[in-house]
Structures are given as C-alpha cells and as structure tokens.
Amino acid sequence: MRIPLKDNPNWLVVRDRALVPAGARARLWRDWVVANDPVYAAARLPGLPEKVAAAVTLLLVASIILFLLMFDWNLLRGPIGRWASARYDREIQLNGDLDVNLLSWTPSAHVRGLRIGGPDWAREEDTLTVEDLRASVRLRALLTGHVEMPLVAITRPRAVLIATADGRQSWRLDPDAPDTGEALKLPPINRLLIEDGQVSLDEQGRDIRLEATINAREGSDEQAGFHLDGKGTINGTPLTVLIRGGPFINIRRDRPYTFHGEIAGVGTRLIADGSITRPFDLGQFNATLRLQGRDLADIYLLTGVTTPNTPPYRLAGRLTRDDAKFTFADFTGRVGSSDLSGNVVVDKAGDRRRVDAELRSRLLDIDDLLAVLGAEPRVTAGGNTVASSGAPGRLLPNAPLNVERLRVMDGTLRYRAARVKRNDLDIRQVDIGADLRSGVLDLDPVAFSFNRGELRGTAKINATRDTPYSAIDFRLRGYPLESIIPARDGVATVTGQALGRARLEGPGASVHDFAASSKGTVSLVVPQGRMRAAFAELMGVHVLAGLFKLDDDSMSEIRCAVADFTVSGGIATAKTFVVDTTPVVAQGSGTIDLGAETMNLRIDGETKEPRLVRLWAPILVQGPLTAPKVDVDRGAVAAQAGVGGLIGALVNPFAALAAFVDPGLADDANCGALISSAR
C-alpha cells in the first residue's frame, strides 16, 4: 500500500525542519530589499538621474552597433599584418578586402588575399597564400571558453613546405619552440570546404619532392568529400600519395571521421583504413595498416623510422596514434620466407625519436636473418630466401651500415625465433636483444641454439664515428663436430663437442670491413671426441695405415684439439694449433686472412707408434675460406724420396726403406694446459 506524500512521516520532517524555515528567511530578505535597497527603489520609481543614465547607456550601445555596422575593417589590414610580421619574423599581409560581422550569434570574418611569407632562409617561396577565406564561430560556445566553427571555406590555398637536412621547417611559425611531435589540432568545424588547394613539399633530408592537390566538397557524387592526390619523387624514385575522406558536413567531436590513405614509393606501399577519433585532432586516430615492399629499411625514407635491411616483406596490423606516440600492435606477416609478428612503439623522448619493438617468429629462415646482417637476399621461385655476401666467393657481407640513421633515434629490440628451418649450421632457435642509445648500438644477447650447444655473446657498434667501431665477444659451447664435418658413407667422420670464443674489435662500416681490420683473439677447443682411424693416420701421413682403413669404420680417440689464433689487422695467426689423437699428434701453423677470406695453414703430424711407410710431409690447407684445398707438401715428399733413393744407391735397396720408417716416439700433448691457455 502506497502512503500519500503529505502523510509520509519523512516528508513531514523535511517540510517542518528545512522548507518552512527557508521560506521564512526568503520572505524576510525580500522585505528588507524593498525597504532599504536604493537600486531597487530607483528601478521601481526612477528619477531624473536614473533616466539620464539609462539614456546614455542606450545611446552608447546604439553607437557601438552603428560603428560596427559602418566601420571599414580594411583600415586594420595594415596594423594586423605589421603585428603578425613582427610576431612571427616573416612577412604576413592581408592584400584583399577584410569583412567582419560581429553582430551575430555566429560572428564571421571574410579575408581575401592572405599571404604568409617564408622565413629568412626561404624567402623566395611564400609558405601560404589564400585567395579567399571565410570563417565563423559560435558565440555561445566562445563565451564558455570553447571554440566551435560552423563554417570554414578556403578558396585556392597554396602551401609551400620546405624542410632542410639540418631540421629547419618553413611552416613552423615559432622555430624556437621545442618540437614535441604533437600533431595539428583544430577546433571542431561543422562544415569545411576547400576549393583548388595545392601543396608543395620539399623534404631535403630524405630527398622528397611532392606536388599535391587538396579539395573538400559537399555533395553525394564521387567528387564529394576530402581528396588529397599527390605525385612526386623520393630518393629519385616515383612517389604517390592518396587520402580520401567523407564530406565535412555536420562533423561532431564525439563522432569519429573515417579515412583511407595510400603511400607508394621506393618499392614500398602503405595502405591505411581508419578513423580520426576526435575530428580535426590529428593527434588521435586508429587504423588498420598494411605495408609491403622489397626492403624494410626503405620505410625510413617514408616515415623517418630506422629499420634493418630485410628481404621482401608483407605485414598488417593495428596502428594507433596518441599525440607523439605511434603503436603498431599485433601485426603479422612475412619477411622473406619467415613469419614475423609483434608490436612496435614509436615515441618522442625529448628531441629524439624512440622505437621499442618486441618481435617473434614461429619459423625462421636463417637466410632472412643473414640479410639483416648485411647479406644480399634473393627470393627463389619457390618463395625461399637465399642470402649471399654480395661478392662472388666471399662469406662475409660487405653492405655498409648506415650510421646516420642510427644517430637520429634511440630504442630497444627483442627478437625471438621459436624454430628455425633446417640449415647447414643446425641452428634451432634465435634470441637477439638490442639497445640503441645516442648512436651506440648494444647487442645483448646474440644467441643461437643448436641441436646441441649454443653460440651466445654480445656486440657493441659505436656509430658516433664517421667509420663505426665495433667490438664482439662470442662464446661457443657444446657445438657438435659432426655438424661441421660431413659424414662419409653415413658414418660420422668426427664426433665431439666444440668450445670456442671470439673477442675482436676494430673499425669497419660492414661485417667484412670490420673483420678485415680487427684485432683480438679467436680460439676453438675440443676437449675430447672421436675421429675415424683412417683420417687420424692420414693426418700423420701414414700412407699404408690410412689407405687400409679408409673402408674401416673404426674410430680413434681425440684426446684434445686446440686452435688458438691472435688477430691483428685482420690477419689471424696460429699461436697454438694441436690435434692429439690416439695414434697421431698434429701441430699446425699459419694464418687466416679475414679480409681476403683466405687461409694458409700447415699441419705436421707425428705418430705415437712405429710405422713402416710414413711420408714425412706436412698437410697444407690453402685457398679461399669458401673452398679451401687440402694437399701434402709435395716438395717435402720429393725430398724424402730423394733421401731414400740416395741411401739405396749407396748402401742397399732395403736400406732405402729407412727414410719412410717412423719409430713412433711422439708423446701425448698436455691437453689440460693447452685448453686452459686457449680459454
């Protein structure tokens, strides 16, 4: 049962305790005003002074209205132009008629012949000229501190935008103000009309020349809406820009404005479909972005964001902008024959751009990664990437690092490949981290996981110099020798695990140039393993034993193998080179030229057991790293044969065999000491 309001006990309490006393106080205040307030008395019964004041006020208002109706606003063109020219340190003129209507709920202005000149260093080109400009604002919104524009109509505007290589921009009216990276923000415009607009862009730092037309028309045909069409060149190659949007009619701040944009140049194509979250606030938008091209490094010319060299790519994801911060999120696609996904954030930190990226691949083609290091990629008809050094017969890439691009931004990168396509090195996983700060790139970690073992290390590239200076420190742990030396007839030639370390530093703009001028140490150690007995015997050039065992699958123990090189000027010289097996101890000497990518090594073997027919001749490993030749020192063989022949002629034929007999007096190598010194 519902109780009437007048009988509700709570209502009665409110009425008696609050409303009744408040009403009584209001009546008392009214009575006091009537009896004592002179303003009230004058308004109710005005005398001569009050009548005179009212008349003067009305006359003043009428005079102001009449002045505004009859005033020639052209008289202010000169003062306005002089003030603006002094304020922005460039010539600004109003060369045509100026009409202003302030007596309206939507005050308006009509400007003809607006001219904004260029700064001192670009005075030969006006930054902006407008033949006709009409604009209006809502007075009620303006009185509350908000700017709303029912109409902006621009006829034949022409803008010339010049950006120099050192960062000066002709369109910045206040060049001393810090560049925060924020986009243009205009007040809400309900109707925007642009007729026959033109924009010329001269971006000298990235060699961009662009001529574009801009129109914003009302209507329902294909010409209606916002149209920007541009053609030009970028780095000497064709450039096209296209942007489409709907008509600017009844635009509201709380209703997103959709757009479509395309940019194509330097073998790259970007397509965006999205919306500006708050119309005329270009610092807030989101879009679906698709990009593809021949090399990700080329997008630097379009966006100013430094990316590594890659094979052809195709990516798609969600692009959002929040003032100076761009986020390319949850993108997926392919780079070469590898999949790639992740997130990239581009932001401003002070006056520098910052890029932070988290990237991953489910299945990586190792040749695609080699392209990032400077190798020259080639995509086969089957869609696979084949990377080469870029020079015939060379292993090390010679593509130069673009140090200027590393100097203009900072950032971090983390890349992980869960699996790697089958490859000669048997790499199974990849993990790379990078930190770029003030032109110095730190790579940590650089890790490659194999079926067994891992190569892990760090690298630092100092790009603040004209020629980059780099330093690397890599450690190899547990790498299987059978992945280096191929099997013979299905049987492993060598087994065991390799340990190694490379510590090098030096100048060089490419991987090849760095290696050719580097200094440091390189070592490789095999603590233990096994080798086919035939190869162990041949390493000591025991001809009979080696030949008899070529079809024998028996194995000899590798007690240890140590190769320790010192590097200077790109020449690696063997300081220690020992391979100690059960039957033979081999010691080597020689050099590896990292610049020419050639080797010249000599291996002398000594047997630990008596051998009847042994050639005392070293093994020579010579030629390019890509295809070294293995042979014996034929001069030493000939000398040994000559000694045997001389003994046979002077003594007896059987004595000649003494020249080929080895008593087998070689001792085991001190493996512990050798391994310790190499590490």
Side-chain angles (χ1 to χ4, degrees):
M1 177 176 166
R2 186 173 181 180
I3 301 174
L5 182 61
K6 64 179 182 178
D7 297 329
N8 190 309
N10 293 329
W11 161 250
L12 296 175
V13 171
V14 172
R15 183 194 65 184
D16 296 339
R17 294 186 178 181
L19 297 182
V20 172
R25 286 193 296 271
R27 287 191 295 273
L28 289 173
W29 179 80
R30 181 198 63 191
D31 295 341
W32 183 91
V33 169
V34 171
N36 300 284
D37 187 12
V39 175
Y40 176 82
R44 188 175 182 183
L45 298 173
L48 181 60
E50 289 79 9
K51 294 178 180 179
V52 172
V56 170
T57 302
L58 291 175
L59 181 61
L60 181 61
V61 171
S63 300
I64 293 174
I65 294 174
L66 185 62
F67 172 80
L68 293 177
L69 290 174
M70 300 182 63
F71 180 71
D72 185 2
W73 291 93
N74 288 322
L75 297 175
L76 296 181
R77 291 183 308 171
I80 292 174
R82 288 189 293 272
W83 172 85
S85 299
R87 171 67 178 82
Y88 297 110
D89 197 23
R90 63 179 69 203
E91 192 172 7
I92 299 177
Q93 297 176 341
L94 302 176
N95 295 319
D97 288 339
L98 173 63
D99 294 327
V100 178
N101 179 18
L102 298 179
L103 301 178
S104 171
W105 289 111
T106 55
S108 61
H110 190 178
V111 180
R112 301 172 183 85
L114 172 64
R115 173 180 171 267
I116 301 178
D120 289 339
W121 51 270
R123 287 192 179 276
E124 65 277 5
E125 291 282 358
D126 292 334
T127 299
L128 177 66
T129 59
V130 178
E131 183 176 303
D132 193 279
L133 171 63
R134 289 177 292 149
S136 61
V137 298
R138 282 197 173 87
L139 183 60
R140 292 177 181 177
L142 191 62
L143 294 176
T144 61
H146 299 86
V147 178
E148 294 182 7
M149 306 187 72
L151 172 68
V152 173
I154 309 172
T155 301
R156 282 182 281 280
R158 183 177 185 271
V160 178
L161 311 178
I162 303 173
T164 62
D166 58 5
R168 292 177 297 176
Q169 298 170 335
S170 66
W171 61 89
R172 293 190 64 186
L173 296 179
D174 189 0
D176 296 328
D179 183 8
T180 61
E182 294 187 358
L184 178 65
K185 297 181 181 181
L186 298 175
I189 303 173
N190 297 126
R191 294 178 61 206
L192 174 62
L193 303 174
I194 302 175
E195 181 181 351
D196 296 336
Q198 293 182 335
V199 175
S200 298
L201 174 64
D202 180 6
E203 216 285 13
Q204 300 168 8
R206 288 178 279 165
D207 193 16
I208 298 176
R209 305 289 188 275
L210 182 70
E211 296 291 334
T213 61
I214 300 178
N215 288 281
R217 299 187 178 98
E218 297 178 346
S220 57
D221 59 8
E222 62 180 12
Q223 298 299 322
F226 179 80
H227 288 210
L228 185 150
D229 297 273
K231 291 185 178 181
T233 60
I234 176 170
N235 202 28
T237 65
L239 171 67
T240 61
V241 178
L242 179 149
I243 300 177
R244 294 287 185 269
F248 292 101
I249 304 176
N250 298 323
I251 300 296
R252 292 171 48 182
R253 235 336 146 68
D254 58 351
R255 183 183 301 163
Y257 176 80
T258 59
F259 68 88
H260 170 82
E262 298 182 17
I263 301 176
V266 287
T268 303
R269 187 177 185 86
L270 284 71
I271 302 175
D273 290 285
S275 61
I276 300 174
T277 310
R278 296 167 58 87
F280 301 105
D281 181 357
L282 301 185
Q284 305 287 329
F285 70 76
N286 58 76
T288 298
L289 176 64
R290 291 168 288 161
L291 61 158
Q292 64 182 56
R294 63 192 180 191
D295 188 339
L296 261 174
D298 291 336
I299 70 171
Y300 171 80
L301 297 174
L302 293 174
T303 65
V305 176
T306 300
T307 52
N309 292 99
T310 68
Y313 65 92
R314 184 180 66 257
L315 302 171
R318 195 71 179 168
L319 177 67
T320 61
R321 178 174 187 177
D322 183 6
D323 289 329
K325 182 178 180 180
F326 292 82
T327 302
F328 189 35
D330 300 325
F331 69 83
T332 59
R334 301 193 69 79
V335 176
S337 52
S338 306
D339 67 275
L340 184 67
S341 60
N343 300 281
V344 177
V345 177
V346 181
D347 203 350
K348 290 278 287 187
D351 59 346
R352 294 176 63 81
R353 181 178 282 107
R354 180 176 180 84
V355 179
D356 296 289
E358 286 279 347
L359 308 178
R360 54 192 174 274
S361 295
R362 295 189 303 273
L363 183 61
L364 168 70
D365 187 332
I366 199 66
D367 284 301
D368 294 329
L369 185 60
L370 293 177
V372 175
L373 300 177
E376 186 174 291
R378 179 177 59 86
V379 180
T380 65
N384 295 320
T385 303
V386 177
S388 64
S389 66
R394 293 288 180 88
L395 285 175
L396 301 178
N398 58 7
L401 179 68
N402 196 321
V403 294
E404 291 81 7
R405 297 184 184 181
L406 290 182
R407 295 170 183 166
V408 299
M409 57 172 276
D410 301 323
T412 61
L413 164 70
R414 194 62 186 263
Y415 172 75
R416 294 181 177 89
R419 293 191 301 125
V420 180
K421 289 183 179 180
R422 188 170 182 178
N423 55 88
D424 293 338
L425 297 176
D426 202 22
I427 299 174
R428 301 297 179 90
Q429 292 181 323
V430 175
D431 185 4
I432 297 176
D435 188 341
L436 175 62
R437 188 175 304 173
S438 300
V440 178
L441 177 62
D442 281 303
L443 298 171
D444 185 12
V446 179
F448 299 88
S449 299
F450 307 100
N451 182 31
R452 298 198 308 273
E454 178 185 55
L455 175 66
R456 177 177 286 268
T458 62
K460 182 188 290 288
I461 302 174
N462 186 344
T464 60
R465 309 181 181 186
D466 292 338
T467 300
Y469 192 89
S470 305
I472 65 171
D473 187 355
F474 286 93
R475 292 179 180 269
L476 179 67
R477 295 184 177 89
Y479 189 74
L481 292 177
E482 50 268 36
S483 295
I484 303 176
I485 303 175
R488 184 176 182 273
D489 297 331
V491 179
T493 302
V494 180
T495 64
Q497 294 184 346
L499 308 174
R501 187 174 187 182
R503 288 178 290 180
L504 299 173
E505 62 177 284
S510 67
V511 175
H512 175 269
D513 292 347
F514 164 71
S517 59
S518 61
K519 62 180 180 180
T521 60
V522 177
S523 59
L524 183 69
V525 173
V526 180
Q528 57 185 2
R530 297 178 68 79
M531 176 187 291
R532 290 187 66 174
F535 289 93
E537 294 287 356
L538 288 174
M539 189 167 55
V541 199
H542 180 210
V543 177
L544 290 182
L547 292 177
F548 289 153
K549 292 181 179 180
L550 280 177
D551 295 325
D552 186 358
D553 293 340
S554 62
M555 305 291 286
S556 295
E557 179 186 1
I558 300 176
R559 297 185 62 252
C560 67
V562 177
D564 192 11
F565 291 84
T566 58
V567 183
S568 179
I571 306 296
T573 304
K575 182 174 66 174
T576 303
F577 194 152
V578 174
V579 181
D580 185 6
T581 67
T582 305
V584 173
V585 175
Q587 298 194 33
S589 61
T591 61
I592 300 175
D593 189 331
L594 299 179
E597 296 189 28
T598 59
M599 61 173 60
N600 184 13
L601 300 177
R602 173 189 176 107
I603 302 174
D604 291 288
E606 297 183 58
T607 63
K608 299 179 181 180
E609 301 172 358
R611 302 301 186 197
L612 176 60
V613 180
R614 177 192 182 268
L615 296 179
W616 284 317
I619 296 176
L620 302 179
V621 183
Q622 297 174 323
L625 298 179
T626 54
K629 294 182 179 180
V630 181
D631 202 352
V632 298
D633 188 342
R634 300 182 185 276
V637 173
Q640 185 179 2
V643 171
L646 179 61
I647 294 176
L650 297 177
V651 185
N652 62 64
F654 294 101
L657 291 175
F660 298 91
V661 174
D662 191 326
L665 301 180
D667 295 326
D668 290 340
N670 187 348
C671 286
L674 291 174
I675 293 173
S676 297
S677 63
R679 290 182 180 177

